[in-house]
Every structure is written in C-alpha cells, then in structure tokens.
Amino acid sequence: MAGLARDISPADDVADLSDAGRREPGLREPSRLEPSRVALARPLVDPALTTLSYRSRARDVPGEDEIQQLLLDARTRNRALGVTGMLHFTGGRYYQWLEGPDKGVAEVWHSIRCDGRHAEVELLGARAAPARLFAGWDMQWFRHADAAADPGGIAEQRARTEDAAALAHFAVAGDRAAVDALLAGRLVPGSPVRSLFGSLLEPAVRLLGDWWREDRCRDVDVTLALTLLQSAVRPLVLPHPVPFQAKACRVLVTPQPGEHHILGSALVGECFWDAGWNVSVEFPNTDAELSALAEGTWFDAITLSLSDVYGREEWLPRMAETIRAVRAASRNPDLVVGVGGRAFLHHAQMAAVTVGADIGVSSAIEAVDEVSYAMYRRATFSMRRSSTPTTLVAPPPVITLAAAVSPGWKIVH
C-alpha cells in the first residue's frame, strides 16, 4: 500500500491502508445473519484491495467522440492493472471510484493527475476495502446528459437516473466524501435542498431497493447507505431554518410504527418546515404511542411513511389499523392523514384510500401541497354542514418547486 500512500501524500508516516483490519472498510463484511446475500455480487474478500474516489473539473466539456476514446483508454488500462470502478460526469465535473490492487490504483491515480483533460483534481478518499463494488466493470460509465436542451424529456430523465445511480453507488460504498461532493455539485446555488429530493435522493433510495431484490446488496448495506444519505442531507438544511408562524398549521410527521427506514419521514418533515408549518417529527414504536401523541396535542394533519426502499405492500393492512386508531384518538375530528413510501409510488391516491388515508404522495415534495388541499376540502365541507359561522385562516404560503402557491386552511370557530 506504500505506493498509493506516497502518491497521495508526501508524508513519510502515512498509514498502510491495506491493513483492513484496523481501518474502517469502504464496504461491509458479509452479514452472518444473511449468508445468502452477497453485497453487489461481490467475490471473496481480497485483503490487498484498495479503493479511491476523486472529483475533478473538465477543462473542456467532452464531446461524444472524446468520451468514447477516454473510456476505451481507461478500460484498456484498467483491465491490464486489475482495476475496476465507476466514472460519472455531471455539471462539468468528473466523479470517479477506483478499486483494485494497491499498485494498480496508484498507477491509475497518477495517470489521472497528469491528464491534461482534468483540472482541480481533488482526492475524496482512499482506503482498504474487503471486496469490490464493481466486480466485472473495467469502468462503469454514467453521464448527466444535457437536460436543458430537452426539459422534461428523455435527456432529463436519463440525467436524473444516472445521477441517482452514482449517488446510490457512493452511498452503498460508504463514501461520505463522494456523496457530499455529488450532492453539492447538483444543488443549484440559491435553491432549497428539497429540489434534490424528487430528482436525486428518492430515486437513489429506490435503486437501493432494486439492488437488494436482485441480491446485489444486503439489508445491512441498505440501512447503512440510508443513514449515510440522511446524515449528508442534514448539513445542507441546517443553514436555512424557517421558523413557523404563529398561526401556522400543525403537522405530525412520523414513520409507520415499526418502520426503521426513516429517511422518507425526515424529507417530508423538512418540506413542511421549509414551508413554515409547525412541525413535530416523532418516531413512535407502537400504535398506542402514536395514538397518545394524537390525543395529547391538536394536529391539523398527520403523515405516515413506509420505506422508500422496499415496497412493503404486506404492511398496508397494518397501516390501515394504525390510521383507524389515530383517527379515533385524535383531538381533531377533521384530521387529515397523508401517507407515503414506495408502496405509494404508483397510483398513490388509490393506494391511500385502501388504508383509510386522505391523501397519498409518491414524493416528499408533494406532501405540503397535497395535505394543504385536503385540509381546504375538509374545511369547506365542514362549513356546508355546519350552521356555526366559520372562518378559514390560511397558513404560510407553500412554495413548491414549480413556484406555485397552494393555500392550506384550518377552521377557526
């Protein structure tokens, strides 16, 4: 490992990264509880395996011919050196993950640093790893296509898919620096972090579920990747808190009791907070605990989330029981209940009806508008059936990605 260490740093005391036993590995060891699942179809652990990730700026935006030549050169070289990995191009920057023998990775890294096509080459991480993430790939290629020329079209969809795939790969590899760099690179200056939810984060999370079903990663890999993504998103949100207003509606955001994938609830909570709502994010373990929350505090709405990774269709009857219990316990007879998660990705409203919810959302960024509209409908219905004069009071404006304002309402007698 000394070769790569010297190439990265001139210091004489750089530790030997090949000593995987004393280093945090980039990939987890196979779980003793799940011997049938081998992460990303990995081979047996190679104690001499090294991983390296970096990003750089392209001096010139490469054309298709140049890209194909770059890939041909990289794959030929990597195959000879026993190096595999992934190359992602987005926003004028390259993001690359390399894995292989110490000397092979060191040689590729030296070649990249001397390549005139790269500027501002920045090492994101280098460490030992127990197994390959891209076994069989001399160089897997993702490119963020020119979506601006085809907004909403195939180019944009392909760009989002490839960005999400790169993010999911970095997350499952445990490469926090690469995840941070990719998120920062895709966040347009001045845009809220929620602009990344539906276009990048949620598709990446669903890819983790796809890989799990294909036996390409284990449940423990998925859980650790979700934890990494959630911790990476949090710093992007913290610098821009939006305090709720005095007359803001109150919403309780929670995962379905028993659901340990909480990233979806965290994203929904951020959307409501960013819109100026009075938000409570809780993690009850049982229906009884959730009902106690609904009984103890007035909430205008409650959102329940299932995993964004797994379908969880078998959980829907259980969710229906939870919603019945919450409605019975709630201090608000006109409580609006919203649901989300991968089980509601397609035909969200139809699936929501089956569990007794008022609205279903396929993405966290839809939650504020959908809940607001459901509250408005409830309020107008209550006015028609009640002889008591009722005033509709609007909460803070809801700013959506489309820059539309959708009013939510609550009843004041």
Side-chain angles (χ1 to χ4, degrees):
M1 189 60 213
L4 180 56
R6 284 196 298 271
D7 196 50
I8 295 173
S9 170
D12 294 330
D13 59 347
V14 175
D16 188 343
L17 294 183
S18 64
D19 186 359
R22 293 200 300 269
R23 287 278 180 163
E24 178 185 354
L27 305 175
R28 271 66 63 185
E29 296 282 355
S31 171
R32 284 183 253 175
L33 300 178
E34 299 176 281
S36 64
R37 294 196 176 278
V38 181
L40 294 178
R42 300 169 192 154
L44 295 176
V45 169
D46 179 358
L49 185 69
T50 295
T51 66
L52 180 149
S53 61
Y54 76 90
R55 69 175 172 180
S56 66
R57 180 177 58 80
R59 291 190 184 276
D60 299 297
V61 177
E64 188 61 31
D65 291 342
E66 186 178 357
I67 284 293
Q68 293 306 316
Q69 186 60 49
L70 183 151
L71 290 174
L72 178 61
D73 295 344
R75 287 165 176 162
T76 301
R77 176 194 61 201
N78 293 353
R79 189 178 300 115
L81 297 173
V83 173
T84 55
M86 175 195 72
L87 177 63
H88 180 55
F89 182 73
T90 180
R93 287 190 175 273
Y94 293 104
Y95 297 83
Q96 188 165 11
W97 170 277
L98 300 169
E99 57 192 17
D102 175 22
K103 292 182 179 179
V105 172
E107 184 170 333
V108 174
W109 174 233
H110 177 75
S111 175
I112 290 167
R113 292 168 66 190
C114 296
D115 191 330
R117 291 170 294 193
H118 295 270
E120 301 173 16
V121 180
E122 177 186 357
L123 177 70
L124 298 176
R127 58 192 173 196
R132 292 179 188 264
L133 184 63
F134 294 92
W137 288 92
D138 299 316
M139 185 54 58
Q140 187 168 8
W141 165 245
F142 298 109
R143 179 177 184 175
H144 188 117
D146 184 8
D150 184 24
I154 295 175
E156 182 178 6
Q157 294 173 20
R158 178 184 175 188
R160 290 183 176 184
T161 299
E162 294 185 349
D163 280 354
L167 182 65
H169 277 301
F170 285 136
V172 89
D175 195 331
R176 171 63 186 271
V179 167
D180 287 344
L182 187 54
L183 289 174
R186 294 309 307 146
L187 186 60
V188 177
S191 298
V193 68
R194 68 176 182 273
S195 65
L196 299 179
F197 291 177
S199 62
L200 183 60
L201 277 164
E202 291 169 330
V205 168
R206 290 193 289 271
L207 271 176
L208 295 176
D210 294 341
W211 294 345
W212 178 83
R213 285 198 302 274
E214 296 165 2
D215 283 337
R216 297 177 63 197
C217 64
R218 306 157 297 166
D219 186 65
V220 64
D221 294 313
V222 170
T223 300
L224 291 172
L226 289 175
T227 302
L228 188 152
L229 289 173
Q230 185 170 345
S231 63
V233 170
R234 191 62 185 164
L236 300 176
V237 176
L238 285 177
H240 307 287
V242 179
F244 68 86
Q245 299 182 19
K247 294 184 179 181
C249 294
R250 181 183 292 271
V251 61
L252 173 63
V253 178
T254 173
Q256 166 70 26
E259 175 60 76
H260 63 280
H261 289 170
I262 62 174
L263 179 61
S265 292
L267 299 185
V268 170
E270 295 296 348
C271 289
F272 276 104
W273 176 256
D274 203 33
W277 288 53
N278 186 342
V279 184
S280 297
V281 180
E282 302 288 347
F283 305 96
N285 293 314
T286 64
D287 287 0
E289 291 181 11
L290 178 57
S291 295
L293 291 170
E295 184 178 12
T297 304
W298 175 282
F299 291 104
D300 296 285
I302 292 179
T303 68
L304 290 170
S305 298
L306 289 173
S307 172
D308 285 317
V309 180
Y310 307 136
R312 300 277 204 240
E313 287 83 1
E314 71 279 7
W315 283 47
L316 295 183
R318 176 177 173 181
M319 177 176 264
E321 294 178 4
T322 300
I323 292 173
R324 282 195 292 270
V326 167
R327 289 195 188 280
S330 175
R331 296 174 59 186
N332 180 4
D334 293 313
L335 179 72
V336 168
V337 178
V339 290
R342 187 158 188 170
F344 304 94
L345 181 61
H346 304 293
H347 310 295
Q349 192 56 41
M350 186 180 300
V353 171
T354 65
V355 296
D358 298 291
I359 58 105
V361 297
S362 57
S363 172
I365 60 176
E366 301 171 0
V368 178
D369 278 355
E370 292 294 333
V371 168
S372 296
Y373 185 59
M375 290 172 58
Y376 172 75
R377 287 183 300 172
R378 280 287 180 90
T380 54
F381 179 75
S382 295
M383 289 175 61
R384 291 169 184 167
R385 71 182 181 184
S386 174
S387 58
T388 304
T390 304
T391 303
L392 296 179
V393 178
V398 177
I399 309 301
T400 68
L401 294 180
V405 177
S406 299
W409 306 83
K410 64 180 178 180
I411 301 176
V412 177
H413 293 288

